[in-house]
Amino acid sequence: MTVTDPSPPSPVPARILVVGGGGRENALGWALARCPGVEQVLVAPGNGGTTALAGCGQLAIAESDHGALAAACRAHAIDLVVVGPEAPLAAGLADRLRSEGLAVFGPGADGALLEASKRWAKDLMQEAGVPTAGYWAATDRQQALDALERHGRPLVVKADGLAAGKGVTVADSLEQCREAIEEVFAGRFQSAAPGEAAAPSLVLEERLHGPEVSVFALTDGRSMVLLPPAQDHKRIGEGDTGPNTGGMGAYAPARLLDAAGMEQVRQRVLEPILAALRARGIDYRGVIFAGLMLTEEGLRVIEFNCRFGDPECETLMPLLGPELAQVLLACATGRLEQAPPLTIEPRCSACVIAAAAGYPGEVRRGDPIDGDLGDDPDLQLFHAGSRRSEAGPVVTAGGRVLAVVAQADDFDTAFERAYDGLGRVGFEGMVYRRDIGHQVRTRRPALP
Ligand code: AMP
Ligand code: GLY
């Protein structure tokens, strides 16, 4: 009989700081606070909902204030920092905190280029052999216009750099493409690629067709854990019409990818991209978000992001087990293989977003938010654009205001629960889509 050394136990972080103030961070805080062994979760800056979460506290520190965040980690003896949004990651928050010895779930500025520079990401995908749309990079206006003329068909125009989801134009005509190119070179978006500080540049991409699905891999740079695939609803209007938004609702698991499909995503997309990152000397610890399109020719990567999707995060967190805090710490410390397996409940999760009137344009703010969903283990209310007003009540403070999420054994029941919950909360001018999950619901709502 051989005796093997038991693996060192995987520690639980007692004190966690979540950086960010959206629905995603509200859901992360909620999910981490319910993990056994987690004593406190602080959210900075949080929102009007964070204070109401059991086990969560709030710090009034902006995600851009790296110095104050580092000081707060020292003051509160933080064991794990989870960075939600892309902007602080691209600005090097994880590097700064790691340089002070902290465990951080979220890549450094180098890994965040996966999202922060479209061109860098496309080059890496090509190098790694990851299936993606054909592309042409251009650093000047004429070069871009010439590439478009040579192609002779509308192309997708993507400004390089973080543009808060506004840098992509899926044009139907050559004229629209030219206008989008002019806009980029008029300097509306800035490049985040190293050494190109403010020079506008763009990527022109072949237009692909097919349903989209989001896949998230938690990684320590070598191993990874995949979460169930989720489908977002980007358009503001029912029937997937109207302008793009950050996402009006989501559901998981999306049936677009079965176990074999997920295995393909792992082998053809995630493992090669992680290997290519390592080959560039990048130690990527955090989440890789693959935005995929399922085309007739097979799966293609539309984009990578260096963070959880929102509202996909709100949708997925309730399905994850009590090992989540340990798993995120293990990713942050490069020891994912020693962490316990992450339990993923085989249930259906449905998320509907309530937005403020005017979204995705200018929105009204300051309206009191009413209602409460009570204590139902299968129903969650997460806040996004909300804040606690000086007078006391929580008021609207952004475009997407609330996320109502419900779980059940089937999607019809999950969506009925979510919409029932949404009927019990609200604010003046609340806007939402009634057809979230239309792809998987059999009992459809009556639409006009
Ligand atoms: P991105 O910011 O790269 O996610 O792009 C925003 C949205 O534009 C995506 O979710 C897609 O719906 C669409 N899109 C981006 N690239 C393409 C492409 N090559 N073909 C068709 N649609 C695209
Ligand atoms: N829901 C898509 C995103 O977060 O980019």
Side-chain angles (χ1 to χ4, degrees):
M1 198 178 90
T2 47
V3 178
T4 48
D5 280 343
S7 312
S10 178
V12 183
R15 304 175 66 81
I16 304 175
L17 173 67
V18 175
V19 177
R24 169 181 49 212
E25 290 75 27
N26 210 168
L28 283 165
W30 171 83
L32 291 166
R34 64 182 195 149
C35 295
V38 172
E39 287 162 20
Q40 192 178 26
V41 178
L42 296 169
V43 188
N47 58 40
T50 323
T51 43
L53 289 177
C56 286
Q58 207 165 351
L59 296 174
I61 305 173
E63 62 192 41
S64 55
D65 193 344
H66 299 189
L69 289 167
C73 289
R74 288 191 297 269
H76 295 277
I78 292 297
D79 302 307
L80 171 68
V81 184
V82 179
V83 184
E86 66 279 14
L89 291 168
L93 175 61
D95 305 291
R96 164 75 191 264
L97 298 178
R98 281 192 187 110
S99 74
E100 303 202 12
L102 289 153
V104 184
F105 181 83
D110 53 3
L113 282 172
L114 211 47
E115 173 163 4
S117 170
K118 300 272 186 204
R119 203 175 91 200
W120 191 89
K122 291 295 280 191
D123 290 346
L124 195 70
M125 284 186 239
Q126 191 171 55
E127 195 179 301
V130 166
T132 187
Y135 71 105
W136 299 265
T139 47
D140 79 62
R141 181 183 155 274
Q142 200 54 49
Q143 199 185 10
L145 291 170
D146 290 347
L148 179 67
E149 295 318 317
R150 272 199 308 278
H151 193 73
R153 268 185 301 151
L155 292 167
V156 179
V157 180
K158 298 189 172 185
D160 203 32
L162 290 181
K166 298 190 176 73
V168 175
T169 307
V170 184
D172 290 316
S173 69
L174 287 171
E175 193 43 43
Q176 253 182 310
C177 289
R178 288 187 201 103
E179 279 167 25
I181 291 171
E182 297 292 355
E183 241 194 322
V184 174
F185 288 106
R188 259 197 67 194
F189 311 102
Q190 293 202 326
S191 171
E196 294 173 30
S201 72
L202 56 69
V203 169
L204 297 171
E205 235 181 66
E206 250 176 305
R207 182 165 179 182
L208 304 176
H209 298 274
E212 288 179 59
V213 60
S214 307
V215 174
F216 302 90
L218 313 180
T219 181
D220 66 351
R222 293 185 305 269
S223 315
M224 59 178 92
V225 174
L226 268 54
L227 304 188
Q231 193 166 30
D232 185 14
H233 297 62
K234 291 221 165 98
R235 306 297 190 105
I236 185 74
E238 285 165 3
D240 295 318
T241 53
N244 258 324
T245 69
M248 293 300 291
Y251 68 90
R255 293 181 184 142
L256 291 163
L257 287 171
D258 57 10
M262 287 298 280
E263 197 44 42
Q264 223 189 81
V265 175
R266 177 192 285 275
Q267 287 178 16
R268 299 193 54 205
V269 173
L270 293 164
E271 281 175 355
I273 208 72
L274 206 52
L277 285 164
R278 276 198 308 272
R280 290 198 181 191
I282 297 174
D283 186 10
Y284 193 106
R285 299 179 182 191
V287 59
I288 298 183
F289 167 176
L292 305 169
M293 194 175 266
L294 307 181
T295 73
E296 280 177 3
E297 288 77 42
L299 68 88
R300 300 282 183 272
V301 175
I302 289 288
E303 62 169 353
F304 281 115
N305 294 312
C306 61
R307 53 170 174 89
F308 286 106
D310 188 341
E312 292 96 322
C313 185
E314 292 93 309
T315 314
L316 289 166
M317 285 302 139
L319 298 177
L320 306 184
E323 312 85 3
L324 180 67
Q326 261 169 301
V327 169
L328 298 194
L329 179 62
C331 287
T333 52
R335 298 195 187 102
L336 185 52
E337 280 185 346
Q338 286 154 33
L342 180 62
T343 309
I344 297 175
E345 277 198 61
R347 300 184 82 202
C348 299
S349 188
C351 168
V352 183
I353 295 289
Y359 183 70
E362 265 306 302
V363 296
R364 38 184 290 168
R365 289 159 200 268
D367 292 306
I369 300 170
D370 297 315
D372 177 356
L373 297 185
D375 229 359
D376 178 342
D378 293 331
L379 190 61
Q380 301 84 34
L381 174 65
F382 298 125
H383 282 233
S386 81
R387 66 177 175 82
R388 190 165 289 282
S389 65
E390 273 164 26
V394 176
V395 297
T396 62
R400 291 187 292 172
V401 178
L402 302 173
V404 179
V405 193
Q407 296 79 47
D409 293 334
D410 62 84
F411 280 116
D412 282 321
T413 313
F415 275 102
E416 275 159 19
R417 277 187 193 158
Y419 280 103
D420 177 68
L422 197 62
R424 288 185 270 145
V425 294
F427 48 88
E428 192 67 34
M430 179 166 105
V431 182
Y432 63 91
R433 276 180 61 169
R434 286 166 298 169
D435 68 339
I436 302 300
H438 58 83
Q439 304 89 334
V440 288
R441 286 157 76 185
T442 58
R443 298 197 286 273
R444 302 235 168 137
L447 295 178

